[in-house]
Amino acid sequence: MKTLLALWLCIFCGHFYSVAQEATIKGRVLDQKGQPISEVSIQIETKGTVSNKDGYYSLRIPSGKMISVVFRHLSYETYVKRVRVPRNRSFNFSPKLTLKTELIDTVVIKDVKDKVAGVDKIPIETVKQLPSANAGVESTLKNIGLGVSGNNELSTQYNVRGGNYDENLVYVNGIQVYRPFLVRSGQQEGLSFVNSQMTQNVKFSAGGFQAKYGDKLSSVLDITYKTPKKNELAIEASLLGASLTFEGISSSKKFTSLAGIRYRNNSLFVNSKDVETNFKPSFTDIQTLFTYDANEQLSINFLGNVAINKYNYTPIGRRTNFGTITDPKALVVSYEGKEIDTYQTIFGALSADYQLNETTKFQVTSSMYNTQEEEYYDILAAYNLGDVNADIGGENFGKVEFTQAIGSQLDHARNDLDAIIGNLGINSTLRRGDYVIELGAKMQWEDLKDRIKSYQMIDSAGFSLRPPYLTGNDEPYSAYTGPIIPFTSTHAVNSTKIHRISGFAQVSKTGYLDKHQYWFNLGVRTQHWEVKSTDYGHQQHQIVSPRAQFTIKPDWGKDMLFRISGGAYSQAPFYHELRDSLGQVHPEVKAQKSVHLVLGNDYSFSMWERPFKLVSEVYYKSLSDVNPFTVNNVQIRYRAKNNAKAYAYGFDTRLNGEFVPGTESYFSFGYLKTEESIEDRGYIARPTDQRIKLAVLFQDYVPDRPNLKMYLNLIYNTGLPGGSPSYADPYIFNNRLKSYFRSDIGVSYVLKDALNLNKKKWLSKFNEFAIGVELFNMFDIQNTISNTWVRDLSSGVSVGVPNFLSGRVLNTKLTMKF
């Protein structure tokens, strides 16, 4: 008996000792596109496991010594990872496997078709994790997107390589979506159309894109929503709002439903500014995607969206300190009045995909978009501009002492817009050997009605300022006896209809030059449109846009791709571009044109036995028939004249990889120069001339607590031209705003997910449960979006007072999946 007891104790102690001497390696096995791979064999010595259907795995390994972990799959190259993990620690590692080269050539090319076409694929998990004031796809693009910049954290709009917000195409499931018309500032904007919780794939091209995409000058953002594989409910809540996402699939697997409800409130950010307000925003939207697979050939889809954004804003007071240490200034303002804005949009799209056979596919799409926007405000501001007491030891330190200017400003608007946009299109894809032929045609009709009634009255030292285009005023020395008119005013009622017919044809081919793999695409687009305005007549226009791409993958030891792409791009004007600053519609406005040339290189390599990728692009654009514009916050105002020419050139590069094992981080740099010549007066910087961009997205976790994760989002942009009044001559007032620096950090703790099966009873009903804290603008940098111009009539001097963006804000976050 004693012998048996001693033997049992030896076995138990040996087992306990061996367990104590173990560690854990876990993660998710992915392909080069970031998609999970199931049934991957993970082995060490005599032990092993297999990744599940979502790519997750977990394996106990010996601790404290160097071992080799082998990842094997029939369709992928074998991957070996050498690791040493301390005792009782967990090591997160998510390898990206590469398709085997012995697969047929067309499969290999298909796997890298996005890279060869110059399309950047943004990992959706990165989108969901990025801490940002307006988290989502667009905010992620501002950090890691090549050539993308943005100087307003509350806005989802972005500039690409010298273009403005209106020059970017956005597609959701192949259907073009639109941005609001009347929004003037980021804090009014609310929710982006793109719901990141419903998104599966994000593709982006910053120029030189294919003919199958529409007629814009700068970029394409191509979003694909999820196809549900199971029933799941996800809830996310924070101090900024909440979202609920449902995924469902029928028992027959033929019908799937994807639905999302979102609510957002910007009060935290607006209250962090230097303006005291009563702010009651409400941004809400509902989206649905229904899919029915009638049979193996026919699939029917419906995408719907309803958004109601309400913006109730009552400013109370403001004090803005600016100037220098030796000459500090302050603007003190008291307000009366309020602003009430409403933006309601309804969108619906029905599409049918028909796979005729293995080589031929058709898609028919019809969509309807309606937006009703109201912008009503009456705000009276009385201001006092003066010097600030800088005597640190004095009793009046920080107080405004000497008044430089006293005045008031009344802003009034009753603006309404009702727009309906409908279209019907058909696309086809034909495969003939090594060739892929794509054809498409679309009809679109736009019916827009708007009423603009806005003005601004400015009083300085008891005198009303006359409009800037009137000269010869020498008040107060000589009395002016004419009528009192607003400093700026716009009065217009427009009814405009636009009919468009467009089409494209393109061909792609894959092949070999000796052992070097190549791919090319040749295509052309054309569009004919007619503008009919009730008061301003009608005009017809036609454009043709040829485009080309060529990519080669040399048979070298290094994994490299070289690309060249370009073409003659044209942007047929939308209603916004036809209307000038006085509200008049100009049907004669032609399409802006741009010749693109983009050279790119992708280099994939290993460093510290971990995967990395370096992407670099140089580009040049030559623009003609340019429609000059000004930007104030996010409001763009066009001259509605094709009286300028411009150019843009620059360089973008990004390095991403596993700087920390199992996580992916990004370091980006961009240089841009863009100038325009208006009426041949000489070249000056365009409003989008963002010279330098530096961005970092860094992910990390605590080694012995891998569930505790950190995400750091850093963006630095040099100052944009602007800050001068929109009515000013840019050749006289060509000022630049200060540089933009934004730093956001997020920390999350995952209590339960596919890798961490927490056995606590209260977590048993959850598939995932995580809590987090986010600190936005953690260094409390005062970034400037525009200037408020204060003028003293007696001295004739105007002073630009900066309008600051949001300050430091703390947010808490809760994520759950059932």
Side-chain angles (χ1 to χ4, degrees):
M1 186 70 181
K2 290 182 180 180
T3 303
L4 289 174
L5 179 61
L7 180 62
W8 181 83
L9 286 173
C10 289
I11 294 172
F12 174 79
C13 292
H15 174 73
F16 179 79
Y17 178 78
S18 64
V19 170
Q21 296 300 311
E22 287 187 335
T24 301
I25 182 171
K26 58 184 178 179
R28 195 179 192 189
V29 187
L30 307 170
D31 63 17
Q32 292 298 318
K33 292 184 176 181
Q35 300 301 310
I37 308 175
S38 62
E39 303 299 324
V40 176
S41 169
I42 302 102
Q43 289 186 321
I44 57 153
E45 300 172 349
T46 59
K47 297 177 61 176
T49 186
V50 177
S51 62
N52 65 16
K53 62 183 178 64
D54 295 317
Y56 290 105
Y57 75 94
S58 180
L59 180 64
R60 299 288 293 178
I61 61 175
S63 63
K65 67 176 184 177
M66 185 65 71
I67 62 168
S68 296
V69 184
V70 183
F71 298 81
R72 289 191 177 93
H73 192 282
L74 288 175
S75 300
Y76 293 84
E77 299 284 355
T78 299
Y79 188 91
V80 179
K81 175 67 177 177
R82 303 255 313 154
V83 296
R84 180 189 287 113
V85 185
R87 186 176 60 185
N88 294 328
R89 296 282 185 90
S90 292
F91 177 71
N92 273 13
F93 179 64
S94 298
K96 288 187 176 181
L97 304 188
T98 303
L99 276 172
K100 287 184 177 180
T101 56
E102 59 263 28
L103 292 176
I104 60 174
D105 301 336
T106 54
V107 175
V108 176
I109 277 292
K110 184 177 179 181
D111 186 57
V112 296
K113 66 179 181 179
D114 294 330
K115 290 195 295 183
V116 299
V119 174
D120 200 8
K121 190 165 183 180
I122 310 297
I124 188 58
E125 290 304 318
T126 301
V127 172
K128 294 178 181 179
Q129 294 161 354
L130 181 78
S132 175
N134 205 340
V137 172
E138 296 89 348
S139 294
T140 308
L141 279 179
K142 293 177 187 180
N143 185 299
I144 68 177
L146 290 177
V148 182
S149 63
N151 282 23
N152 190 337
E153 63 272 5
L154 295 182
S155 173
T156 59
Q157 307 306 321
Y158 51 89
N159 303 316
V160 179
R161 293 177 175 171
N164 67 32
Y165 309 142
D166 293 331
E167 297 177 13
N168 303 316
L169 281 163
V170 180
Y171 292 94
V172 174
N173 282 24
I175 301 161
Q176 186 177 350
V177 298
Y178 304 92
R179 61 185 294 263
F181 288 81
L182 296 181
V183 169
R184 306 184 331 275
S185 67
Q187 65 192 38
Q188 295 174 301
E189 199 171 295
L191 296 162
S192 161
F193 184 97
V194 180
N195 186 333
S196 58
Q197 299 301 319
M198 297 172 63
T199 301
Q200 178 66 43
N201 292 316
V202 181
K203 298 178 181 180
F204 179 76
S205 175
F209 42 87
Q210 296 177 10
K212 67 179 179 181
Y213 295 115
D215 297 303
K216 294 284 187 178
L217 294 183
S218 292
S219 73
V220 174
L221 176 61
D222 193 357
I223 303 293
T224 304
Y225 277 176
K226 295 178 181 177
T227 300
K229 304 296 184 185
K230 59 182 178 180
N231 296 322
E232 186 174 70
L233 178 66
I235 299 174
E236 187 176 283
S238 74
L239 298 179
L240 298 172
S243 70
L244 183 149
T245 308
F246 171 76
E247 299 178 43
I249 184 169
S250 65
S251 57
S252 65
K253 310 296 183 182
K254 287 191 172 185
F255 179 78
T256 64
S257 60
L258 180 65
I261 302 174
R262 294 182 295 173
Y263 169 78
R264 181 175 173 84
N265 188 317
N266 280 341
S267 297
L268 277 178
F269 292 105
V270 176
N271 293 335
S272 72
K273 296 185 177 184
D274 54 4
V275 180
E276 182 184 1
T277 67
N278 288 325
F279 184 48
K280 298 178 181 179
S282 175
F283 306 128
T284 308
D285 86 335
I286 301 173
Q287 287 194 41
T288 59
L289 175 63
F290 299 122
T291 300
Y292 177 69
D293 294 328
N295 51 52
E296 293 183 356
Q297 293 177 293
L298 178 63
S299 175
I300 300 173
N301 308 279
F302 174 79
L303 175 65
N305 171 268
V306 176
I308 302 175
N309 296 333
K310 296 182 178 181
Y311 178 84
N312 297 334
Y313 180 74
T314 305
I316 299 172
R318 166 183 178 179
R319 173 170 172 174
T320 302
N321 294 324
F322 63 103
T324 64
I325 296 176
T326 58
D327 186 22
K329 304 288 183 183
L331 175 69
V332 181
V333 185
S334 60
Y335 295 98
E336 294 181 22
K338 62 182 178 180
E339 178 173 357
I340 300 176
D341 302 331
T342 303
Y343 310 96
Q344 300 183 31
T345 61
I346 301 174
F347 175 84
L350 184 66
S351 65
D353 297 314
Y354 184 70
Q355 187 78 44
L356 180 64
N357 50 49
E358 292 182 357
T359 61
T360 306
K361 179 180 179 182
F362 296 95
Q363 182 185 56
V364 179
T365 303
S366 177
S367 70
M368 187 70 71
Y369 171 83
N370 174 239
T371 179
Q372 299 179 28
E373 304 178 16
E374 295 179 350
E375 185 182 55
Y376 295 174
Y377 57 81
D378 286 286
I379 298 177
L380 175 64
Y383 59 84
N384 185 340
L385 180 66
D387 296 329
V388 178
N389 188 309
D391 183 6
I392 298 178
E395 295 181 358
N396 297 321
F397 174 71
K399 294 183 178 180
V400 178
E401 291 186 330
F402 175 72
T403 300
Q404 284 186 322
I406 296 175
S408 61
Q409 177 176 308
L410 173 63
D411 290 287
H412 165 92
R414 295 292 184 272
N415 301 331
D416 299 272
L417 182 139
D418 188 346
I420 298 176
I421 302 172
N423 58 61
L424 175 65
I426 181 170
N427 293 337
S428 63
T429 303
L430 301 91
R431 299 181 182 276
R432 297 293 183 266
D434 293 335
Y435 291 89
V436 178
I437 302 169
E438 295 174 84
L439 307 169
K442 184 170 75 171
M443 295 186 300
Q444 181 163 303
W445 54 96
E446 303 160 18
D447 189 352
L448 303 103
K449 296 178 175 63
D450 73 326
R451 182 195 69 172
I452 308 169
K453 187 176 181 181
S454 62
Y455 61 80
Q456 182 183 79
M457 302 285 296
I458 298 180
D459 168 87
S460 181
F463 293 87
S464 177
L465 270 65
R466 299 167 65 202
Y469 57 85
L470 294 179
T471 59
N473 181 16
D474 61 347
E475 295 176 276
Y477 306 106
S478 299
Y480 177 71
T481 57
I484 296 177
I485 57 178
F487 187 68
T488 61
S489 65
T490 303
H491 295 271
V493 177
N494 298 313
S495 177
T496 306
K497 294 183 179 180
I498 305 175
H499 295 155
R500 306 178 191 269
I501 299 177
S502 61
F504 75 89
Q506 65 177 45
V507 58
S508 304
K509 183 183 184 298
T510 300
Y512 279 86
L513 293 172
D514 194 13
K515 295 182 179 180
H516 308 297
Q517 199 170 21
Y518 73 88
W519 176 92
F520 74 80
N521 174 278
L522 297 174
V524 63
R525 283 192 68 85
T526 184
Q527 182 178 155
H528 175 86
W529 73 98
E530 181 179 18
V531 182
K532 293 182 179 180
S533 174
T534 302
D535 297 322
Y536 302 103
H538 66 92
Q539 194 89 26
Q540 296 187 31
H541 303 268
Q542 177 84 31
I543 56 174
V544 177
S545 173
R547 308 173 187 183
Q549 298 176 323
F550 180 80
T551 300
I552 188 167
K553 188 179 188 304
D555 183 26
W556 296 346
K558 299 183 182 297
D559 184 1
M560 280 193 176
L561 282 175
F562 294 93
R563 291 187 306 273
I564 181 170
S565 60
Y569 293 76
S570 299
Q571 179 165 320
F574 201 48
Y575 176 71
H576 198 191
E577 297 153 74
L578 299 173
R579 198 179 69 183
D580 64 16
S581 59
L582 299 178
Q584 297 180 357
V585 175
H586 295 265
E588 74 278 5
V589 172
K590 297 181 293 185
Q592 301 183 82
K593 300 177 180 63
S594 176
V595 177
H596 288 200
L597 179 62
V598 183
L599 302 176
N601 170 253
D602 289 8
Y603 175 35
S604 300
F605 61 97
S606 294
M607 186 166 58
W608 308 312
E609 298 184 350
R610 298 194 290 271
F612 285 83
K613 184 178 179 180
L614 178 66
V615 182
S616 304
E617 290 188 351
V618 295
Y619 59 90
Y620 179 82
K621 300 180 185 180
S622 176
L623 295 94
S624 59
D625 289 331
V626 174
N627 189 349
F629 61 90
T630 61
V631 181
N632 183 19
N633 203 306
V634 299
Q635 185 182 44
I636 300 175
R637 290 183 176 178
Y638 291 92
R639 294 195 181 191
K641 297 179 181 179
N642 300 104
N643 62 344
K645 56 186 177 181
Y647 68 85
Y649 65 82
F651 168 74
D652 295 308
T653 187
R654 183 187 67 219
L655 175 65
N656 59 282
E658 295 187 14
F659 291 90
V660 175
T663 67
E664 191 155 22
S665 299
Y666 299 78
F667 292 81
S668 304
F669 170 80
Y671 172 79
L672 161 72
K673 183 176 182 180
T674 180
E675 293 185 323
E676 64 185 356
S677 175
I678 303 173
E679 297 178 344
D680 293 324
R681 297 175 62 186
Y683 283 98
I684 57 173
R686 303 189 78 196
T688 53
D689 184 31
Q690 189 94 66
R691 290 296 173 89
I692 300 294
K693 168 193 169 180
L694 292 168
V696 175
L697 170 56
F698 193 81
Q699 304 184 53
D700 200 358
Y701 57 88
V702 179
D704 57 349
R705 293 279 183 181
N707 297 355
L708 184 58
K709 304 176 182 181
M710 183 276 295
Y711 309 96
L712 179 65
N713 176 17
L714 299 175
I715 297 179
Y716 170 82
N717 294 323
T718 52
L720 285 168
S724 56
S726 60
Y727 54 79
D729 185 345
Y731 283 86
I732 299 175
F733 298 95
N734 199 343
N735 299 328
R736 279 187 183 266
L737 299 171
K738 293 195 307 180
S739 295
Y740 177 90
F741 177 65
R742 184 78 184 180
S743 53
D744 302 326
I745 189 170
V747 177
S748 69
Y749 186 74
V750 180
L751 281 81
K752 184 179 180 181
D753 64 8
L755 285 175
N756 305 281
L757 302 177
N758 197 313
K759 296 182 180 180
K760 291 183 179 180
K761 186 176 180 180
W762 69 275
L763 288 171
S764 60
K765 296 182 179 180
F766 299 97
N767 294 330
E768 291 186 20
F769 192 96
I771 56 176
V773 177
E774 297 173 319
L775 184 62
F776 304 119
N777 195 4
M778 60 180 175
F779 299 119
D780 202 22
I781 302 296
Q782 289 186 315
N783 292 308
T784 303
I785 188 61
S786 62
N787 285 329
T788 295
W789 288 89
V790 180
R791 181 176 177 181
D792 182 1
L793 190 65
S794 61
S795 65
V797 175
S798 294
V799 179
V801 180
N803 296 317
F804 294 125
L805 289 164
S806 59
R808 185 188 294 118
V809 171
L810 181 67
N811 181 42
T812 58
K813 193 174 179 180
L814 175 66
T815 304
M816 298 171 286
K817 284 188 178 182
F818 301 88

